Amino acid sequence: EVQLVESGGGLVKPGGSLRLSCEASGFTFRNAWMSWVRQAPGKGLEWVGRIRSKTDGGTTEYTAPVKGRFTISRDDSKNTLYVQINSLKTEDTAVYYCTTELVDLFDYWGQGTLVTVSS
Amino acid sequence: DVVMTQSPLSLPVTLGQSASISCRSSQSLVYSDGNTYLQWFQQRPGQSPRRLIYKVSNRDSGVPDRFSGSGSGTDFTLKISRVEAEDVGVYYCMQGTHWPWTFGQGTKVEIK
């Protein structure tokens, strides 16, 4: 059974940093392309960025509002996906989900971790 | 960015009746490989999103056959036949053809 468990969220001041993790199980993580999607409170879904498998180059893409501030990485030895978030802004307040691309886009989702940016 | 426009944004339905959600994209979603990367997601209250349909009309494993997707180019539809209480939630379409990938605003389905 595919499982994705996010962690690392919390309350951070504007300008601060945070690293979110997503521990994966139930599939061959090293072969999977993974994404982060976020959802601001009471709002819709926004794709944040994606990382390919190392076999496919391990490259990343990001949506414009987070480019330069967010860095997605992976540790295949730990079956874990990360996103390092720097220079946090109040508009980054959201639940952050990790999601898989096993059969097409976003087929499995974690339960999410809440990031609150407030002074 | 490709804009995904859903309608209606709120959809009250009677149990047992059918419901349809429209999703229109600002550009054709046909990719260079011939596929159309249009997905539908369900988000029940308090839960994570769940994919229902991928590439327009392919139903995910475990999704009841009451859910069906159709459409092409820029116009797509999610149909729920015989709505049940468990179908309450917000439904999102999403395009994975053009960077950045984008979602519709969501359609809230509720029981009358």
Side-chain angles (χ1 to χ4, degrees), chain A residues 10 14-16 18 20 38-41 46 48 65-66 69-70 85-96 113-117:
Chain A
L18 209 55
L20 308 181
R38 67 183 179 180
Q39 185 171 35
E46 180 185 27
V48 170
V66 310
R69 298 189 301 119
F70 285 35
I85 309 175
N86 298 328
S87 305
L88 275 155
K89 305 177 180 181
T90 54
E91 53 263 41
D92 294 321
T93 294
V95 174
Y96 285 75
T113 187
L114 176 62
V115 172
T116 304
V117 185

Side-chain angles (χ1 to χ4, degrees), chain A residues 13-54:
Chain A
K13 288 183 167 51
S17 297
L18 209 55
R19 188 178 81 158
L20 308 181
S21 302
C22 169
E23 188 169 347
S25 60
F27 63 99
T28 307
F29 180 76
R30 66 177 180 277
N31 293 340
W33 297 19
M34 303 288 295
S35 278
W36 287 96
V37 174
R38 67 183 179 180
Q39 185 171 35
K43 301 296 185 183
L45 301 168
E46 180 185 27
W47 173 74
V48 170
R50 167 222 238 173
I51 187 167
R52 294 178 175 82
S53 64
K54 286 200 166 58

